PDB file of all heavy atoms in Angstrom:
ATOM      1  N   GLU A  67      38.596  -0.521  21.120  1.00 75.00           N
ATOM      2  CA  GLU A  67      39.208  -1.821  20.792  1.00 75.00           C
ATOM      3  C   GLU A  67      39.658  -2.517  22.065  1.00 75.00           C
ATOM      4  O   GLU A  67      40.850  -2.622  22.340  1.00 75.00           O
ATOM      5  CB  GLU A  67      40.392  -1.636  19.851  1.00 75.00           C
ATOM      6  CG  GLU A  67      39.950  -1.312  18.454  1.00 75.00           C
ATOM      7  CD  GLU A  67      41.041  -1.582  17.427  1.00 75.00           C
ATOM      8  OE1 GLU A  67      41.830  -2.520  17.630  1.00 75.00           O
ATOM      9  OE2 GLU A  67      41.081  -0.841  16.444  1.00 75.00           O
ATOM     10  N   VAL A  83      23.397  -3.075  13.499  1.00 91.00           N
ATOM     11  CA  VAL A  83      23.257  -3.514  12.100  1.00 91.00           C
ATOM     12  C   VAL A  83      21.809  -3.919  11.802  1.00 91.00           C
ATOM     13  O   VAL A  83      21.245  -3.543  10.768  1.00 91.00           O
ATOM     14  CB  VAL A  83      24.232  -4.682  11.808  1.00 91.00           C
ATOM     15  CG1 VAL A  83      23.935  -5.323  10.461  1.00 91.00           C
ATOM     16  CG2 VAL A  83      25.674  -4.185  11.846  1.00 91.00           C
ATOM     17  N   ALA A  87      19.359  -2.039   9.215  1.00 84.00           N
ATOM     18  CA  ALA A  87      18.835  -2.798   8.070  1.00 84.00           C
ATOM     19  C   ALA A  87      17.344  -2.556   7.889  1.00 84.00           C
ATOM     20  O   ALA A  87      16.851  -2.508   6.756  1.00 84.00           O
ATOM     21  CB  ALA A  87      19.109  -4.287   8.260  1.00 84.00           C
ATOM     22  N   ASP A  92      23.193   0.892   5.612  1.00 87.00           N
ATOM     23  CA  ASP A  92      24.402   0.125   5.883  1.00 87.00           C
ATOM     24  C   ASP A  92      25.090   0.654   7.131  1.00 87.00           C
ATOM     25  O   ASP A  92      24.908   1.812   7.503  1.00 87.00           O
ATOM     26  CB  ASP A  92      25.384   0.246   4.711  1.00 87.00           C
ATOM     27  CG  ASP A  92      24.936  -0.569   3.515  1.00 87.00           C
ATOM     28  OD1 ASP A  92      24.142  -1.501   3.713  1.00 87.00           O
ATOM     29  OD2 ASP A  92      25.383  -0.268   2.406  1.00 87.00           O
ATOM     30  N   VAL A  93      25.915  -0.191   7.733  1.00 92.00           N
ATOM     31  CA  VAL A  93      26.725   0.219   8.880  1.00 92.00           C
ATOM     32  C   VAL A  93      28.195   0.075   8.510  1.00 92.00           C
ATOM     33  O   VAL A  93      28.636  -0.995   8.098  1.00 92.00           O
ATOM     34  CB  VAL A  93      26.411  -0.618  10.134  1.00 92.00           C
ATOM     35  CG1 VAL A  93      27.331  -0.232  11.276  1.00 92.00           C
ATOM     36  CG2 VAL A  93      24.953  -0.440  10.530  1.00 92.00           C
ATOM     37  N   LEU A  95      32.191   0.539   9.719  1.00 90.00           N
ATOM     38  CA  LEU A  95      33.019   0.612  10.928  1.00 90.00           C
ATOM     39  C   LEU A  95      34.048   1.717  10.771  1.00 90.00           C
ATOM     40  O   LEU A  95      34.775   1.751   9.775  1.00 90.00           O
ATOM     41  CB  LEU A  95      33.683  -0.736  11.174  1.00 90.00           C
ATOM     42  CG  LEU A  95      32.656  -1.824  11.503  1.00 90.00           C
ATOM     43  CD1 LEU A  95      33.214  -3.204  11.232  1.00 90.00           C
ATOM     44  CD2 LEU A  95      32.211  -1.708  12.954  1.00 90.00           C
ATOM     45  N   THR A  97      37.368   4.096  11.828  1.00 77.00           N
ATOM     46  CA  THR A  97      38.677   3.974  12.465  1.00 77.00           C
ATOM     47  C   THR A  97      39.329   5.346  12.578  1.00 77.00           C
ATOM     48  O   THR A  97      38.807   6.341  12.092  1.00 77.00           O
ATOM     49  CB  THR A  97      39.610   3.095  11.610  1.00 77.00           C
ATOM     50  OG1 THR A  97      39.867   3.793  10.398  1.00 77.00           O
ATOM     51  CG2 THR A  97      38.984   1.761  11.305  1.00 77.00           C
ATOM     52  N   ARG A  99      41.643   6.409  10.941  1.00 71.00           N
ATOM     53  CA  ARG A  99      41.948   6.927   9.610  1.00 71.00           C
ATOM     54  C   ARG A  99      40.817   7.808   9.052  1.00 71.00           C
ATOM     55  O   ARG A  99      41.061   8.777   8.350  1.00 71.00           O
ATOM     56  CB  ARG A  99      42.184   5.741   8.678  1.00 71.00           C
ATOM     57  CG  ARG A  99      42.980   6.054   7.450  1.00 71.00           C
ATOM     58  CD  ARG A  99      43.384   4.773   6.770  1.00 71.00           C
ATOM     59  NE  ARG A  99      44.621   4.282   7.333  1.00 71.00           N
ATOM     60  CZ  ARG A  99      45.804   4.445   6.724  1.00 71.00           C
ATOM     61  NH1 ARG A  99      45.871   5.092   5.582  1.00 71.00           N
ATOM     62  NH2 ARG A  99      46.890   3.959   7.258  1.00 71.00           N
ATOM     63  N   HIS A 100      39.574   7.451   9.371  1.00 72.00           N
ATOM     64  CA  HIS A 100      38.453   8.278   8.935  1.00 72.00           C
ATOM     65  C   HIS A 100      38.556   9.667   9.547  1.00 72.00           C
ATOM     66  O   HIS A 100      38.210  10.667   8.928  1.00 72.00           O
ATOM     67  CB  HIS A 100      37.121   7.664   9.377  1.00 72.00           C
ATOM     68  CG  HIS A 100      36.748   6.439   8.616  1.00 72.00           C
ATOM     69  ND1 HIS A 100      37.124   5.184   9.003  1.00 72.00           N
ATOM     70  CD2 HIS A 100      36.044   6.294   7.472  1.00 72.00           C
ATOM     71  CE1 HIS A 100      36.654   4.304   8.139  1.00 72.00           C
ATOM     72  NE2 HIS A 100      35.996   4.939   7.206  1.00 72.00           N
ATOM     73  N   ARG A 286      22.568  -5.973  22.790  1.00 93.00           N
ATOM     74  CA  ARG A 286      21.928  -5.991  21.464  1.00 93.00           C
ATOM     75  C   ARG A 286      20.814  -4.954  21.401  1.00 93.00           C
ATOM     76  O   ARG A 286      20.694  -4.205  20.430  1.00 93.00           O
ATOM     77  CB  ARG A 286      21.384  -7.385  21.163  1.00 93.00           C
ATOM     78  CG  ARG A 286      20.914  -7.502  19.735  1.00 93.00           C
ATOM     79  CD  ARG A 286      20.776  -8.943  19.274  1.00 93.00           C
ATOM     80  NE  ARG A 286      20.533  -8.923  17.848  1.00 93.00           N
ATOM     81  CZ  ARG A 286      21.069  -9.775  16.996  1.00 93.00           C
ATOM     82  NH1 ARG A 286      21.885 -10.706  17.405  1.00 93.00           N
ATOM     83  NH2 ARG A 286      20.789  -9.689  15.721  1.00 93.00           N
TER      84      ARG A 286
ATOM     85  N   GLU B  67      26.123 -15.166  13.139  1.00 75.00           N
ATOM     86  CA  GLU B  67      25.696 -14.534  14.399  1.00 75.00           C
ATOM     87  C   GLU B  67      25.727 -15.571  15.523  1.00 75.00           C
ATOM     88  O   GLU B  67      24.695 -16.015  16.001  1.00 75.00           O
ATOM     89  CB  GLU B  67      24.293 -13.952  14.267  1.00 75.00           C
ATOM     90  CG  GLU B  67      24.283 -12.691  13.456  1.00 75.00           C
ATOM     91  CD  GLU B  67      23.029 -11.867  13.686  1.00 75.00           C
ATOM     92  OE1 GLU B  67      22.514 -11.863  14.813  1.00 75.00           O
ATOM     93  OE2 GLU B  67      22.587 -11.255  12.711  1.00 75.00           O
ATOM     94  N   VAL B  83      39.050  -4.434   9.391  1.00 91.00           N
ATOM     95  CA  VAL B  83      38.900  -2.973   9.366  1.00 91.00           C
ATOM     96  C   VAL B  83      40.267  -2.291   9.282  1.00 91.00           C
ATOM     97  O   VAL B  83      40.461  -1.361   8.490  1.00 91.00           O
ATOM     98  CB  VAL B  83      38.122  -2.490  10.610  1.00 91.00           C
ATOM     99  CG1 VAL B  83      38.170  -0.975  10.739  1.00 91.00           C
ATOM    100  CG2 VAL B  83      36.668  -2.963  10.529  1.00 91.00           C
ATOM    101  N   ALA B  87      41.577  -0.076   6.160  1.00 84.00           N
ATOM    102  CA  ALA B  87      41.925   1.326   6.406  1.00 84.00           C
ATOM    103  C   ALA B  87      43.247   1.695   5.740  1.00 84.00           C
ATOM    104  O   ALA B  87      43.402   2.817   5.256  1.00 84.00           O
ATOM    105  CB  ALA B  87      41.987   1.594   7.908  1.00 84.00           C
ATOM    106  N   ASP B  92      36.458   1.549   3.429  1.00 87.00           N
ATOM    107  CA  ASP B  92      35.523   1.339   4.522  1.00 87.00           C
ATOM    108  C   ASP B  92      35.094  -0.124   4.574  1.00 87.00           C
ATOM    109  O   ASP B  92      35.148  -0.819   3.562  1.00 87.00           O
ATOM    110  CB  ASP B  92      34.274   2.195   4.324  1.00 87.00           C
ATOM    111  CG  ASP B  92      34.547   3.661   4.625  1.00 87.00           C
ATOM    112  OD1 ASP B  92      35.533   3.933   5.334  1.00 87.00           O
ATOM    113  OD2 ASP B  92      33.792   4.506   4.140  1.00 87.00           O
ATOM    114  N   VAL B  93      34.633  -0.539   5.732  1.00 92.00           N
ATOM    115  CA  VAL B  93      34.084  -1.886   5.894  1.00 92.00           C
ATOM    116  C   VAL B  93      32.619  -1.761   6.301  1.00 92.00           C
ATOM    117  O   VAL B  93      32.287  -1.093   7.280  1.00 92.00           O
ATOM    118  CB  VAL B  93      34.857  -2.694   6.946  1.00 92.00           C
ATOM    119  CG1 VAL B  93      34.209  -4.055   7.161  1.00 92.00           C
ATOM    120  CG2 VAL B  93      36.312  -2.855   6.526  1.00 92.00           C
ATOM    121  N   LEU B  95      29.062  -3.781   7.255  1.00 90.00           N
ATOM    122  CA  LEU B  95      28.580  -5.072   7.742  1.00 90.00           C
ATOM    123  C   LEU B  95      27.348  -5.488   6.943  1.00 90.00           C
ATOM    124  O   LEU B  95      26.398  -4.715   6.812  1.00 90.00           O
ATOM    125  CB  LEU B  95      28.255  -4.963   9.233  1.00 90.00           C
ATOM    126  CG  LEU B  95      29.509  -4.722  10.066  1.00 90.00           C
ATOM    127  CD1 LEU B  95      29.164  -4.102  11.409  1.00 90.00           C
ATOM    128  CD2 LEU B  95      30.274  -6.022  10.268  1.00 90.00           C
ATOM    129  N   THR B  97      24.050  -7.872   5.923  1.00 77.00           N
ATOM    130  CA  THR B  97      22.998  -8.663   6.567  1.00 77.00           C
ATOM    131  C   THR B  97      22.149  -9.351   5.500  1.00 77.00           C
ATOM    132  O   THR B  97      22.336  -9.139   4.301  1.00 77.00           O
ATOM    133  CB  THR B  97      22.059  -7.750   7.368  1.00 77.00           C
ATOM    134  OG1 THR B  97      21.372  -6.901   6.447  1.00 77.00           O
ATOM    135  CG2 THR B  97      22.822  -6.900   8.354  1.00 77.00           C
ATOM    136  N   ARG B  99      19.318  -8.615   4.658  1.00 71.00           N
ATOM    137  CA  ARG B  99      18.589  -7.631   3.879  1.00 71.00           C
ATOM    138  C   ARG B  99      19.352  -7.210   2.617  1.00 71.00           C
ATOM    139  O   ARG B  99      18.757  -6.940   1.580  1.00 71.00           O
ATOM    140  CB  ARG B  99      18.346  -6.404   4.762  1.00 71.00           C
ATOM    141  CG  ARG B  99      17.210  -5.543   4.334  1.00 71.00           C
ATOM    142  CD  ARG B  99      16.881  -4.571   5.440  1.00 71.00           C
ATOM    143  NE  ARG B  99      15.956  -5.161   6.374  1.00 71.00           N
ATOM    144  CZ  ARG B  99      14.646  -4.888   6.370  1.00 71.00           C
ATOM    145  NH1 ARG B  99      14.159  -4.044   5.495  1.00 71.00           N
ATOM    146  NH2 ARG B  99      13.856  -5.444   7.237  1.00 71.00           N
ATOM    147  N   HIS B 100      20.694  -7.150   2.718  1.00 72.00           N
ATOM    148  CA  HIS B 100      21.480  -6.814   1.529  1.00 72.00           C
ATOM    149  C   HIS B 100      21.268  -7.868   0.456  1.00 72.00           C
ATOM    150  O   HIS B 100      21.232  -7.565  -0.732  1.00 72.00           O
ATOM    151  CB  HIS B 100      22.977  -6.770   1.860  1.00 72.00           C
ATOM    152  CG  HIS B 100      23.358  -5.591   2.682  1.00 72.00           C
ATOM    153  ND1 HIS B 100      23.338  -5.612   4.051  1.00 72.00           N
ATOM    154  CD2 HIS B 100      23.767  -4.353   2.327  1.00 72.00           C
ATOM    155  CE1 HIS B 100      23.731  -4.428   4.499  1.00 72.00           C
ATOM    156  NE2 HIS B 100      23.984  -3.649   3.486  1.00 72.00           N
ATOM    157  N   ARG B 108      27.041  -1.244  -3.339  1.00 77.00           N
ATOM    158  CA  ARG B 108      27.755  -0.319  -2.465  1.00 77.00           C
ATOM    159  C   ARG B 108      29.096  -0.856  -1.977  1.00 77.00           C
ATOM    160  O   ARG B 108      29.761  -0.204  -1.193  1.00 77.00           O
ATOM    161  CB  ARG B 108      26.890   0.026  -1.246  1.00 77.00           C
ATOM    162  CG  ARG B 108      25.718   0.926  -1.578  1.00 77.00           C
ATOM    163  CD  ARG B 108      24.886   1.096  -0.342  1.00 77.00           C
ATOM    164  NE  ARG B 108      23.692   1.885  -0.592  1.00 77.00           N
ATOM    165  CZ  ARG B 108      22.702   1.998   0.269  1.00 77.00           C
ATOM    166  NH1 ARG B 108      22.770   1.374   1.428  1.00 77.00           N
ATOM    167  NH2 ARG B 108      21.639   2.712   0.001  1.00 77.00           N
ATOM    168  N   ARG B 286      42.788 -11.890  14.477  1.00 93.00           N
ATOM    169  CA  ARG B 286      43.046 -10.544  13.950  1.00 93.00           C
ATOM    170  C   ARG B 286      43.893 -10.624  12.678  1.00 93.00           C
ATOM    171  O   ARG B 286      43.607  -9.959  11.688  1.00 93.00           O
ATOM    172  CB  ARG B 286      43.741  -9.694  15.008  1.00 93.00           C
ATOM    173  CG  ARG B 286      43.848  -8.254  14.584  1.00 93.00           C
ATOM    174  CD  ARG B 286      44.096  -7.323  15.755  1.00 93.00           C
ATOM    175  NE  ARG B 286      43.978  -5.964  15.296  1.00 93.00           N
ATOM    176  CZ  ARG B 286      43.424  -4.980  15.975  1.00 93.00           C
ATOM    177  NH1 ARG B 286      42.956  -5.200  17.175  1.00 93.00           N
ATOM    178  NH2 ARG B 286      43.347  -3.779  15.470  1.00 93.00           N
TER     179      ARG B 286
END
Side-chain angles (χ1 to χ4, degrees):
Chain A
E67 286 199 33
V83 170
D92 286 339
V93 176
L95 294 158
T97 67
R99 202 168 273 259
H100 288 90
R286 189 162 189 140
Chain B
E67 286 199 34
V83 170
D92 286 339
V93 176
L95 294 158
T97 66
R99 202 167 273 259
H100 288 89
R108 288 175 183 169
R286 188 161 189 141

